[in-house]
């Protein structure tokens, strides 16, 4: 089995910054991409950002492009999400995900990913 553990969530003031981390462990046949999604109460889980390892590429939701940066270390199965200029609308539980399938994917859909972490709460105060 594969486990993903997120960390770094917490309370941050509007306009501030926060960095999330996620480490995947366990037996993996492959690691093609890792992504970040978030879910606010009463809303569907939505794509935030993702990183594809080879060829290297990053993906961002329009809502966070230019403010969030995704990075990682493929050898360590670790991904980070640096969040800058945070607004209250960013308040949500943030989930890390792992794609192990080689099939074509946009890397931006919930259905693209096979494993998920438990989530970490990010709260942005006004």
């Amino acid at each position: 089995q594969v486990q993903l553990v997120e960390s770094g969530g917490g309370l941050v003031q509007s306009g501030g910054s926060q960095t999330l981390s996620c480490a995947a462990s366990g037996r993996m046949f492959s690691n093609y991409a890792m992504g970040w999604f978030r879910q606010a109460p009463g809303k569907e889980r939505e794509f935030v950002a993702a990183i594809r390892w080879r060829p290297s590429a990053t993906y961002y939701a329009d809502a966070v492009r230019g403010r969030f940066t995704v990075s990682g270390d493929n050898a360590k199965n670790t991904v980070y999400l640096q969040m800058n200029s945070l607004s209250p609308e960013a308040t949500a539980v943030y989930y890390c995900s792992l794609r192990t399938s080689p099939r074509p994917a946009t890397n931006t859909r919930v259905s693209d990913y096979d494993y998920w972490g438990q989530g970490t709460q990010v709260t942005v105060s006004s």
Side-chain angles (χ1 to χ4, degrees), residues 15-98:
S17 299
Q18 192 92 347
T19 298
L20 307 181
S21 300
C22 173
S25 62
R27 183 169 177 80
M28 287 168 273
F29 285 97
S30 59
N31 180 351
Y32 289 98
M34 297 183 72
W36 289 99
F37 292 74
R38 66 188 180 188
Q39 187 167 23
K43 300 182 67 176
E44 295 184 1
R45 190 168 300 189
E46 67 175 0
F47 170 73
V48 177
I51 182 167
R52 184 183 67 193
W53 303 114
R54 288 181 293 274
S56 179
T58 55
Y59 309 81
Y60 295 96
D62 290 342
V64 306
R65 192 183 307 276
R67 298 185 296 111
F68 288 16
T69 302
V70 64
S71 62
D73 185 341
N74 186 203
K76 296 182 178 181
N77 297 311
T78 300
V79 66
Y80 306 95
L81 182 67
Q82 181 180 334
M83 305 181 292
N84 298 325
S85 301
L86 284 165
S87 300
E89 64 184 3
T91 295
V93 176
Y94 284 70
Y95 295 92
C96 175
S97 56
L98 170 68

